[in-house]
Amino acid sequence: MSEAGKPEKAKAPKAEKAPRPTGNPNEKAKADAKAEKKAKKGAADKAAGAQVAVGEEARDPNYVPRMKKRYHEVIKPALMKEFGYKNALQVPKINKVVLNIGAGEGSQDTKKIQAAQNDLTAIAGQKAVITKAKKAISTFKITAGRPVGVKVTLRQDRMYEFLDRFVTIALPRVRDFRGLNAKSFDGRGNYALGLKEHIIFVEIDYDKTETVWGMDIIINTSAKTDEEAKALLKGFQFPFMN
């Protein structure tokens, strides 16, 4: 019989190849455990990061500073009655509080300007910025562009928190304190006062402070007259002596 006429032999199916061993089973178990641990750590870090971000944006949605609450519930109605405002928007308010420490010695010693910045940051609860001289003053050995002080501007909740600490805690610690001078208004509703020692604030540790700084506090209000501004600050319990 010719080759063409011969029937084809049935081919046996090929046996499937067994998977190659991946190596030592103990090593595979270790690798799986390591990957699982890494995944859990990444999830925990992500959750922690989310919590920090939320905390920075809003510490507590229900928190209201004591002085802010006092302004809306006590001071505002009293001022409307005293000055006869027809609209609640006419009632003056505190816009911002500026704290300043003049540290001229910092032009010669950067450590002192850094110390002043750290102290003011602790007092304000907000990072203070370094101010630099705009022009040279040979009498005080100051050159243009050198650091001469630090300042910080407070608004909203931090402003009310500072005012609360200042009036109720810091001022009673001033030696021989007899009251604030009511003549320090500028005629446009703004008030400025100076402190001889910044260590009156409880945030400053006297034993760890090398230099005692003087400090300026400027309170900017929306009042149009000094009389209105004084009544506003009296509502915040500022102890004026005149």
Side-chain angles (χ1 to χ4, degrees), residues 38-189:
K38 187 176 181 180
K40 288 181 179 179
K41 184 179 179 182
D45 291 344
K46 187 176 181 181
Q51 291 176 0
V52 170
V54 172
E56 289 177 352
E57 293 176 3
R59 292 171 292 178
D60 183 356
N62 299 320
Y63 169 71
V64 179
R66 191 173 70 96
M67 283 296 187
K68 184 176 183 179
K69 187 176 181 181
R70 176 180 174 81
Y71 172 74
H72 289 289
E73 295 181 358
V74 179
I75 301 174
K76 210 169 185 179
L79 291 178
M80 289 190 70
K81 183 178 180 180
E82 180 178 353
F83 293 96
Y85 299 120
K86 297 180 181 179
N87 192 322
L89 297 177
Q90 291 180 285
V91 180
K93 62 181 180 179
I94 299 178
N95 295 324
K96 61 183 179 180
V97 176
V98 181
L99 312 179
N100 175 69
I101 291 180
E105 300 175 8
S107 61
Q108 306 297 328
D109 188 353
T110 55
K111 289 184 179 180
K112 289 190 175 182
I113 200 75
Q114 186 64 49
Q117 184 182 28
N118 293 338
D119 286 352
L120 189 58
T121 298
I123 292 170
Q126 178 177 311
K127 187 174 182 179
V129 298
I130 297 175
T131 55
K132 298 181 179 180
K134 294 183 179 180
K135 60 181 181 179
I137 304 176
S138 58
T139 306
F140 299 102
K141 299 181 180 180
I142 295 176
T143 57
R146 296 298 296 271
V148 291
V150 291
K151 71 173 183 178
V152 63
T153 301
L154 302 176
R155 293 182 173 88
Q156 302 300 330
D157 287 357
R158 286 180 177 170
M159 173 187 74
Y160 288 111
E161 289 169 355
F162 170 79
L163 290 175
D164 195 354
R165 298 195 310 272
F166 175 65
V167 173
T168 60
I169 301 175
L171 280 180
R173 290 162 57 95
V174 177
R175 288 181 297 179
D176 301 325
F177 181 69
R178 298 179 181 177
L180 298 175
N181 186 3
K183 297 181 180 180
S184 296
F185 290 93
D186 66 348
R188 291 169 294 191

Side-chain angles (χ1 to χ4, degrees), residues 170-229:
L171 280 180
R173 290 162 57 95
V174 177
R175 288 181 297 179
D176 301 325
F177 181 69
R178 298 179 181 177
L180 298 175
N181 186 3
K183 297 181 180 180
S184 296
F185 290 93
D186 66 348
R188 291 169 294 191
N190 302 314
Y191 184 73
L193 63 98
L195 300 175
K196 294 181 179 180
E197 299 177 341
H198 78 300
I199 56 175
I200 64 172
F201 292 95
V202 294
E203 292 83 1
I204 304 302
D205 188 348
Y206 178 77
D207 295 331
K208 296 180 180 179
T209 302
E210 296 182 0
T211 306
V212 177
W213 305 103
M215 185 173 171
D216 297 319
I217 301 175
I218 298 92
I219 301 173
N220 174 261
T221 76
S222 61
K224 296 181 180 179
T225 65
D226 289 348
E227 183 183 0
E228 292 173 296

